[in-house]
Amino acid sequence: PGMTLRDYFAAKAMQALLSHHGAYEEDARFCSKKEALEREFALPNDVLGEYAYGVADAMLKVREANHG
């Protein structure tokens, strides 16, 4: 029960994905933040979640290789 290390890594990866705001900065003169973020994150939430867990799995693999 509780959060696993994999969950923690996935949450950090998701935070990084969702905090990326380059599109907003580039498009701020032309559209609202909401519009810019919708263009930036056109992927469905389940795809973003799968990607975040993929990043977590890669981090765990490297961790295991380095700490055996």
Side-chain angles (χ1 to χ4, degrees):
M3 182 180 279
T4 65
L5 186 57
R6 182 175 184 249
D7 293 332
Y8 177 79
F9 285 164
K12 292 295 186 176
M14 182 62 75
Q15 179 181 9
L17 286 167
L18 295 177
S19 68
H20 175 68
H21 62 327
Y24 171 63
E25 291 172 354
E26 294 171 7
D27 295 339
R29 296 169 303 191
F30 306 109
C31 61
S32 71
K33 182 175 182 178
K34 181 178 183 292
E35 290 169 331
L37 289 173
E38 285 172 352
R39 282 202 300 261
E40 179 73 9
F41 296 111
L43 295 174
N45 290 339
D46 60 329
V47 174
L48 287 172
E50 288 176 17
Y51 183 77
Y53 271 99
V55 171
D57 291 341
M59 292 171 71
L60 288 169
K61 184 176 179 180
V62 170
R63 184 176 189 270
E64 179 65 26
N66 290 327
H67 298 291

